[in-house]
Amino acid sequence: MQLVTFSAELRSCHPHIAFDATFQFWWRGNDQSASWTARQKITEWADKLASQYCVTQAGNAETEINTRIVDGVHVQLAVSPQARAAAEAILEIDRQSALDRRKQQAELKQIRHLRESIYSRPDVARSYWLHHHPDQLNAMLDIDFEGIAQKFGDVAESRFLVIAKLIGEFLEGLGDGERRYLLGQLGEVFSSYDRPDLMNRLEDS
């Protein structure tokens, strides 16, 4: 029986960043082909486990591989300074990206709140503005909060009115037969969305 020692690279969870692994196992016999096949199988099995870890978690990866690998096989993981630095840079980028996403989500939530609950209501907008500018009461009197509310309020409703107007103009330009056909198609759409009430109203119009 002889002690076989060999080295291999094992994937980490980040592409192109690898663990440096050293394997040892006892091998009985002189069949080099069988020994090589055993080395391949051990490496593939360990590679699958290692690929779940970042190289900054080398200790945890090594422990799991040695715990779950076949008896008599031992692996020692090492990480080059270059691989560790690359992984730490990626982790920092991921952390910064997650932080940026959280900031953007919070900002979007604040913008939506201002649009829907503050600027669309003149009385609330005045109170909000005065709360943030308590020493500028006279300046507040010059702000057209009603005009602001018209721009921010009922945005969705205004969009639907524009669409309805466009459909109306399109129908007016059609002949009677084309108009009846199109309205019939629209009735089928209402029915497919389980709105027979709208279909009935369309037929009665």
Side-chain angles (χ1 to χ4, degrees):
M1 183 176 290
Q2 59 178 332
L3 181 64
V4 177
T5 301
F6 69 96
S7 299
E9 281 193 349
L10 303 181
R11 293 174 299 161
S12 74
C13 63
H14 296 121
H16 313 300
I17 301 178
F19 295 98
D20 296 319
T22 301
F23 293 89
Q24 287 186 331
F25 67 98
W26 291 98
W27 180 255
R28 185 187 303 275
N30 297 315
D31 189 337
Q32 295 299 316
S33 177
S35 174
W36 179 254
T37 299
R39 289 172 54 174
Q40 283 186 306
K41 290 182 178 179
I42 291 171
T43 303
E44 290 172 1
W45 194 89
D47 182 72
K48 186 178 297 184
L49 285 180
S51 66
Q52 303 173 31
Y53 290 89
C54 176
V55 293
T56 59
Q57 303 169 304
N60 293 337
E62 182 177 296
T63 297
E64 180 170 1
I65 293 172
N66 283 318
T67 300
R68 299 179 57 182
I69 207 165
V70 295
D71 291 342
V73 178
H74 178 78
V75 62
Q76 184 175 2
L77 298 183
V79 178
S80 69
Q82 295 83 358
R84 180 175 294 276
E88 289 175 347
I90 291 174
L91 292 173
E92 180 57 31
I93 292 172
D94 290 343
R95 282 193 290 266
Q96 189 60 49
S97 297
L99 181 60
D100 289 343
R101 284 195 299 271
R102 292 293 297 271
K103 288 181 178 178
Q104 291 168 1
Q105 291 169 358
E107 186 177 63
L108 182 60
K109 184 177 180 180
Q110 176 68 6
I111 291 173
R112 186 178 294 116
H113 172 69
L114 290 173
R115 184 190 67 199
E116 297 176 357
S117 302
I118 304 296
Y119 293 126
S120 62
R121 301 171 57 186
D123 55 334
V124 176
R126 286 189 180 88
S127 299
Y128 181 84
W129 191 93
L130 189 59
H131 174 72
H132 289 278
H133 308 85
D135 58 340
Q136 300 183 39
L137 179 60
N138 291 334
M140 183 187 72
L141 301 177
D142 296 329
I143 300 176
D144 182 12
F145 288 101
E146 282 72 15
I148 294 174
Q150 289 179 0
K151 294 182 182 297
F152 281 90
D154 299 328
V155 175
E157 183 177 351
S158 299
R159 188 184 306 119
F160 291 139
L161 289 175
V162 171
I163 294 173
K165 183 178 179 181
L166 289 174
I167 294 174
E169 291 178 0
F170 177 71
L171 288 172
E172 288 177 0
L174 297 177
D176 290 340
E178 294 173 325
R179 188 181 300 111
R180 283 195 298 272
Y181 173 77
L182 182 59
L183 292 175
Q185 295 294 106
L186 185 58
E188 292 183 8
V189 172
F190 288 156
S191 178
S192 67
Y193 280 87
D194 198 24
R195 291 301 304 271
D197 56 320
L198 296 180
M199 183 177 66
N200 294 334
R201 287 168 57 187
L202 183 66
E203 292 175 350
D204 294 339
S205 60

